[in-house]
Amino acid sequence: MTFSVAGRCATTGEFGAIVTSSSPSVGARCPWAKSGVGAILTQNVTDSRLATIGFSVLENGFDAESAIRSMKGASPYPEYRQLAVVDAKGNSAAFTGSKALGVHGEFCNKNVASIGNLLSDPTIPEAMGRVFLQLEGQPLAERLISAIEKGFQMGGELDQEHSIGLLVYRDQTFPYVDLRIDYSEQPLEDLKKLWQIYEPQANDYEARAVYPEAAPSYGVKGDE
């Protein structure tokens, strides 16, 4: 009940992922990323533990295909899983098990992987991936939002989407962006509004963690 995009910025080395579903709180279960390592999507009948296995493989120098093989091999029920990986060199790979829900699809290209199930159109993953590639040079978060918006425009999931999550890692161990709409009648629009609020402050939040003495003031009452 999900469609998603994982991507890497070739210029900055950032990794990110965006995912939406008719299920609540999809951002807590399906998108994963690590600075300098890669981005992973775990969905369909989701087993989030597989992401940890995939990252272990990537951190030991293996590629996206190897991570997919290891996640499949570790799962006692690989036929239920849908997985995608983008690694540190921009290689991508995806897997859809034989018991994936409804109409499903996948797309892999340099620096991007997109997957989906219970889709209204099997070409949605490729269309999302193509949008991501066309927007090279734009900020990674913007590219991911635009890519998944294409999926919505094409009809998205057969059921009504209710949650969405956006994740971006730069060069820190913590996320640069981790925004979630856990339940809404219009999750994409709510995420876009949230991104408009958060984006001008994103660098400040990172600076406060790493260089608090040089970080901008908080701009709130009591911070004179």
Side-chain angles (χ1 to χ4, degrees), residues 78-128:
E79 64 273 20
Y80 289 94
R81 315 304 180 193
Q82 192 173 40
L83 309 165
V85 178
V86 178
D87 67 26
K89 294 183 178 179
N91 302 308
S92 63
F95 166 76
T96 300
S98 60
K99 292 189 177 181
L101 297 169
V103 173
H104 46 77
E106 58 187 58
F107 173 77
C108 292
N109 208 307
K110 190 70 173 180
N111 294 314
V112 65
S114 45
I115 51 178
N117 56 77
L118 278 179
L119 297 170
S120 59
D121 185 331
T123 67
I124 284 174
E126 179 173 356
M128 294 192 300

Side-chain angles (χ1 to χ4, degrees), residues 8 14 52 60 81 143 161 166 171 173 193-195:
R8 170 182 176 268
E14 295 172 358
T52 301
N60 278 282
R81 315 304 180 193
R143 296 172 70 187
E161 296 86 359
L166 171 66
D171 54 359
T173 57
K193 291 176 184 176
L194 181 57
W195 173 239

Side-chain angles (χ1 to χ4, degrees), residues 3-5 18 20 114 119-121 123-135 142-157 161 164 188-189 192:
F3 56 100
S4 56
V5 183
I18 192 166
T20 187
S114 45
L119 297 170
S120 59
D121 185 331
T123 67
I124 284 174
E126 179 173 356
M128 294 192 300
R130 297 291 182 194
V131 168
F132 181 87
L133 293 170
Q134 290 165 6
L135 296 177
E142 300 282 354
R143 296 172 70 187
L144 291 168
I145 292 171
S146 295
I148 209 160
E149 186 168 26
K150 180 66 174 179
F152 277 84
Q153 292 169 350
M154 293 177 66
E157 193 182 316
E161 296 86 359
I164 193 168
L188 176 62
E189 294 307 312
K192 289 166 70 175

Side-chain angles (χ1 to χ4, degrees), residues 13-61:
E14 295 172 358
F15 287 100
I18 192 166
V19 58
T20 187
S21 178
S22 57
S23 301
S25 194
V26 70
R29 300 186 306 276
C30 296
W32 309 93
K34 275 193 174 184
S35 299
V37 178
I40 294 177
L41 301 168
T42 62
Q43 61 188 54
N44 194 63
V45 181
T46 306
D47 184 349
S48 298
R49 298 173 298 175
L50 298 178
T52 301
I53 294 166
F55 282 129
S56 178
V57 172
L58 296 178
E59 286 171 332
N60 278 282

